[in-house]
Amino acid sequence: MAKETATYIHGHHESVLRSHAWRTAENSAAYLLPELRSDSTILDIGCGPGTISADFAALAPDGHVTAVDYAPAIVEQAAKEAESRGLTNMTFGVADVHDLQFADDSFDVVHAHQVLQHVGDPVQALREMRRVAKPGGVVAVRDSDYRAFTWFPASAGLSKWLDLYEEVARAGGGEPDAGRMLKAWALRAGFAEDAVKATSTTWTFSNEQERDWWGGLWADRALHSDFAKQAVSGGHAAQEELQAVSEAWKAWGENPESWLMIPHGEVLARA
């Protein structure tokens, strides 16, 4: 059975979790919400700090959410998120999406947000997600597409950041442009085309608060996250280049004309 072979290049630095903890079911899984029932059983893979997982649990009060991640420490943080909200219909665990330790036909919904871009074998991951979904249930995946990121004004520093990010991600075994590939991966995993609904949505950052937040977190990530460490240790960039990327993100955030759009591919696949 295939195992995780890709490196999670972001790591769990505070600047990364600042972004992940912002995510909600509404801003990151709206395409899935019409499928949820009050009694849905949900497996949330790559749950991170647990904000989306906890939203699912609140939306399915008579159901149950199993939230799993590859990193034990972040699973502990997700459990604390659930506790802080007073949610009792959740359990947590460590799991490898390539080889899920759940029985066949276990869940109404199997969900993964921003996961497949980071795994060694996304098709095997989808096969496993399909295996543990109940007949008639759904597998739901959403991933960004880095090469399709669009911003204004033009910035040599941000263009350098994007080229560097894609280089580091692929060197680690991931696929940063996963959003455009989700449907193809689902078909290769065995889903029939008429069982796959492929859509897209975006995140957009433009007003002063959004620019300050997104530009600031990426200015920090460019210097302090695992991405930065791997960029240097892998010979992809010198520290001076990362400093220039960080400054470019700060400049983007300070410019009132700035705008950024992040596209995401989405797939709802019926098991």
Side-chain angles (χ1 to χ4, degrees):
M1 185 68 69
K3 293 289 185 180
E4 176 71 69
T5 57
T7 300
Y8 181 55
I9 68 165
H10 294 300
H12 297 98
H13 184 266
E14 181 278 331
S15 59
V16 176
L17 296 183
R18 198 187 315 164
S19 168
H20 293 181
W22 164 83
R23 298 172 182 173
T24 66
E26 183 177 1
N27 67 30
S28 299
Y31 73 108
L32 171 59
L33 298 187
E35 297 288 336
L36 300 186
R37 307 185 312 266
S38 64
D39 63 347
S40 290
T41 55
I42 303 164
L43 175 62
D44 191 21
I45 299 168
C47 64
T51 50
I52 297 175
S53 312
D55 283 353
F56 288 160
L59 291 167
D62 302 317
H64 189 85
V65 174
T66 302
V68 298
D69 201 282
Y70 199 65
I74 203 66
V75 172
E76 293 177 6
Q77 184 166 334
K80 290 178 181 177
E81 175 71 18
E83 182 180 5
S84 73
R85 299 198 199 185
L87 296 165
T88 59
N89 59 334
M90 300 185 71
T91 53
F92 303 88
V94 176
D96 176 0
V97 68
H98 299 90
D99 188 16
L100 295 168
Q101 300 303 301
F102 301 102
D104 296 359
D105 308 337
S106 293
F107 302 95
D108 298 311
V109 176
V110 184
H111 169 263
H113 183 264
Q114 309 283 31
V115 171
L116 296 188
Q117 64 184 281
H118 298 296
V119 306
D121 189 343
V123 174
Q124 171 62 18
L126 282 161
R127 290 191 189 107
E128 277 292 275
M129 295 174 74
R130 182 177 182 230
R131 179 184 65 78
V132 301
K134 294 178 181 178
V138 294
V139 169
V141 289
R142 183 177 192 255
D143 272 272
S144 52
D145 190 310
Y146 274 77
R147 185 52 64 183
F149 280 28
T150 303
W151 59 77
F152 183 87
S155 166
L158 294 192
S159 294
K160 171 63 178 177
W161 162 79
L162 180 55
D163 290 342
L164 179 61
Y165 181 89
E166 294 224 320
E167 183 178 329
V168 173
R170 292 198 170 99
E175 175 45 71
D177 301 340
R180 69 186 68 184
M181 303 176 75
L182 295 180
K183 180 187 177 184
W185 288 342
L187 297 182
R188 294 172 196 173
F191 288 98
E193 185 173 10
D194 61 5
V196 176
K197 180 181 180 181
T199 56
S200 62
T201 52
T202 64
W203 290 336
T204 302
F205 304 104
S206 180
N207 68 36
E208 183 176 8
Q209 181 180 8
E210 293 164 348
R211 295 192 322 270
D212 180 67
W213 179 72
W214 189 259
L217 69 85
W218 261 108
D220 290 345
R221 287 167 77 163
L223 295 175
H224 306 300
S225 68
D226 283 10
F227 157 75
K229 296 174 185 176
Q230 292 167 46
V232 173
S233 66
H236 306 288
Q239 191 63 41
E240 294 78 12
E241 293 175 282
L242 294 179
Q243 185 65 50
V245 166
S246 178
E247 293 300 324
W249 274 115
K250 289 179 183 178
W252 177 88
E254 291 167 357
N255 184 348
E257 294 187 351
S258 291
W259 177 91
L260 172 71
M261 183 271 288
I262 300 176
H264 297 79
E266 304 161 339
V267 157
L268 277 178
R270 189 73 57 182

